[in-house]
Amino acid sequence: MKYFSNADAKQRVTTLAILGALLFTIIGFILGWLWMEVRYPMLKEPSFRNFTVSYNTIMDKYLNGAKSEDLINGASQGMLASLGDPYSRYLIKDQGSAYTQGYEAEFSGVGITLQEADGKFLVASLTEGAPAEREGVHAGDEIVAVNGTSIVGEAYEDIITLLRGDVGTKVKLTLQRGGAAKPIEVELTRESIAVHTVTSEMLSGGVGHVTISKFAEKTDAEFKTEVEKLQKDGMTKLLLDLRSNPGGLLKSTIQIANMLVPKDKVILKVVYKNNSKTITYKSKQEKPWTIPIVVLVNGQSASASEVLTAALKESAGATVVGEKTFGKGIVQTFQQFKDKSVLSLTEAQWKTPGGTWIHKQGVTPDVTVALPAFASLSQLPFGTELKVGSYGENVKTLQLMLKELGYTPVGDIGLFDARTSDALSRFQKDQKMTVTGAFNDMTGYRIIELLSKKLKEEDTQLQKGIEILASK
């Protein structure tokens, strides 16, 4: 018989305890790794090792140094970019914040709409009653510094970020006004500024003209308010203007459709990946809509504006006038992270009530009407400078603009010669601008303003819409 001493027994227990702890640790590690692979499937990808090695090598050896956060954000952007889908994006911090604010009913700021001209940042317009207007900022003022720091050379998006901030915080602007000898300084306290996406006007013949610029958080409430106001003023026909509306939130679009589309009629169908799920939206109209509708669209009417157009055309008997729409028949959802970054991802396609896919096809109007040719002339890019000797497409665009405004002769098309310079000098003189005979951003803004005014007077699509409503 073999006997064990107390020391041997203790050693045996200790050994068993160590082996048990080691076994427990190994099992725990394996289970933990398996759990990590379930939660983070990219860990199983062989190429993830490449990513890890690249990350560690950059952090350890890159000559100029790198920030971990920048590398990971860059990887997230690259991951979304690799999809080849322009609507799926990863937006970092302030970019993400600006993205979400674009759909909110209000933002925190001072009430200034900014424009960039010849490297300068000018006040284009002011929100009525907002801090900037109350403190005496004028349209046309040049912002030369923010909080005492010059903004020369800064990017437009960065200046917008500087003007915005938390409600109650202050920002100091240094302004150059006209020919004033000294700059003016104003200190503004940021407030919540309402974002308006719906405007209306009463036209002759009982036609209410309602324009929706995009579909944001409270667009449906704004639409209801404007329509009720027009009805009190005697509206008997609705001209709904969705031209150049880029889309926006589906929720507010559906709410507007609920007002205009007969109850239980289909508004749209949303179909998810591999036909795994289809959601059919039907009208929940509470009060019948009896007023005839004409919808105005163009090639820049996209996404949610196409949803509403197709629903009104196919389920509400509305007449669509204008040009074929953009053709964006896919749906994005977005999520915002704690640092305000945003992941926007295409997750579904949508069909019209009649079952038509409109992606890259657009909605075809019932009555096709083109705008005057000059309406297709776009503003020349920021920083464009043209003078005698310049040539190319930008010169051609400028000459066509001047010709449309009555300043002729403009010279040989595409070549900026003495006749072009003379026509431009006459325009600048008539507009009480500095006469240089050369083109710059300030001159370009004034040309676009006058062409916009001319287009409003010669709006063939709007005129056709009114004509059609007159017969209803």
Side-chain angles (χ1 to χ4, degrees), residues 317-331:
T319 302
V320 179
V321 174
E323 298 163 293
K324 182 181 285 189
T325 62
F326 181 80
K328 182 176 180 288
I330 50 180
V331 181

Side-chain angles (χ1 to χ4, degrees), residues 148-205:
T149 302
S150 171
I151 59 172
V152 174
E154 295 289 338
Y156 177 87
E157 294 78 10
D158 293 334
I159 307 304
I160 294 296
T161 301
L162 289 174
L163 293 178
R164 295 186 179 183
D166 294 334
V167 171
T169 58
K170 297 182 182 295
V171 60
K172 184 182 293 183
L173 304 182
T174 305
L175 309 170
Q176 184 65 53
R177 179 169 299 162
K182 294 183 178 180
I184 302 165
E185 284 196 350
V186 294
E187 187 174 68
L188 308 174
T189 302
R190 298 181 179 95
E191 296 178 356
S192 291
I193 309 295
V195 176
H196 295 291
T197 57
V198 183
T199 58
S200 69
E201 60 179 337
M202 195 67 184
L203 305 177
S204 60

Side-chain angles (χ1 to χ4, degrees), residues 73-333:
N73 279 332
S76 296
Q77 284 183 317
M79 186 163 53
L80 271 294
S82 72
L83 300 176
D85 175 10
Y87 304 109
S88 294
R89 297 174 292 164
Y90 184 81
L91 304 168
I92 300 171
K93 293 185 178 179
D94 289 342
Q95 294 176 338
S97 183
Y99 177 86
T100 57
Q101 283 184 11
Y103 297 116
E104 293 172 356
E106 58 185 31
F107 65 91
S108 176
V110 296
I112 289 176
T113 300
L114 200 64
Q115 73 180 32
E116 185 178 6
D118 301 322
K120 298 178 180 180
F121 296 98
L122 307 176
V123 177
S125 62
L126 300 161
T127 302
E128 185 177 352
E133 185 192 54
R134 294 201 308 269
E135 296 301 321
V137 177
H138 294 175
D141 286 349
E142 178 192 351
I143 302 176
V144 295
V146 177
N147 292 327
T149 302
S150 171
I151 59 172
V152 174
E154 295 289 338
Y156 177 87
E157 294 78 10
D158 293 334
I159 307 304
I160 294 296
T161 301
L162 289 174
L163 293 178
R164 295 186 179 183
D166 294 334
V167 171
T169 58
K170 297 182 182 295
V171 60
K172 184 182 293 183
L173 304 182
T174 305
L175 309 170
Q176 184 65 53
R177 179 169 299 162
K182 294 183 178 180
I184 302 165
E185 284 196 350
V186 294
E187 187 174 68
L188 308 174
T189 302
R190 298 181 179 95
E191 296 178 356
S192 291
I193 309 295
V195 176
H196 295 291
T197 57
V198 183
T199 58
S200 69
E201 60 179 337
M202 195 67 184
L203 305 177
S204 60
V207 176
H209 179 209
V210 178
T211 300
I212 303 177
S213 60
K214 66 179 179 179
F215 293 91
E217 195 175 74
K218 292 188 177 180
T219 298
D220 54 313
E222 286 188 66
F223 178 79
K224 183 178 180 181
T225 298
E226 294 299 325
V227 164
E228 289 176 347
K229 182 177 69 175
L230 289 170
Q231 288 176 316
K232 287 180 181 179
D233 292 338
M235 177 178 72
T236 57
K237 297 157 187 177
L238 174 61
L239 186 62
L240 181 58
D241 201 333
L242 299 179
R243 290 178 295 178
S244 299
N245 180 320
L249 300 180
L250 185 60
K251 181 180 177 181
S252 60
T253 309
I254 297 295
Q255 294 291 6
I256 293 173
N258 283 337
M259 293 178 58
L260 304 176
V261 174
K263 185 176 176 61
D264 294 328
K265 289 277 191 177
V266 174
I267 296 171
L268 83 157
K269 297 178 182 179
V270 179
V271 183
Y272 288 81
K273 183 179 179 180
N274 298 327
N275 293 309
S276 60
K277 179 174 66 173
T278 298
I279 299 176
T280 300
Y281 292 89
K282 293 184 178 181
S283 174
K284 298 178 180 179
Q285 189 180 67
E286 296 178 356
K287 180 181 178 182
W289 180 271
T290 59
I291 296 174
I293 303 172
V294 165
V295 184
L296 300 181
V297 293
N298 63 10
Q300 287 73 52
S301 302
S303 193
S305 62
E306 294 176 287
V307 169
L308 185 57
T309 299
L312 293 174
K313 178 182 180 179
E314 297 181 11
S315 292
T319 302
V320 179
V321 174
E323 298 163 293
K324 182 181 285 189
T325 62
F326 181 80
K328 182 176 180 288
I330 50 180
V331 181
Q332 287 74 44
T333 59

Side-chain angles (χ1 to χ4, degrees), residues 371-372 374-375 450-460:
L371 289 173
F374 72 85
L450 294 179
L451 287 175
S452 297
K453 182 179 178 181
K454 181 179 174 65
L455 180 59
K456 191 171 182 180
E457 295 168 352
E458 302 175 15
D459 190 337
T460 49

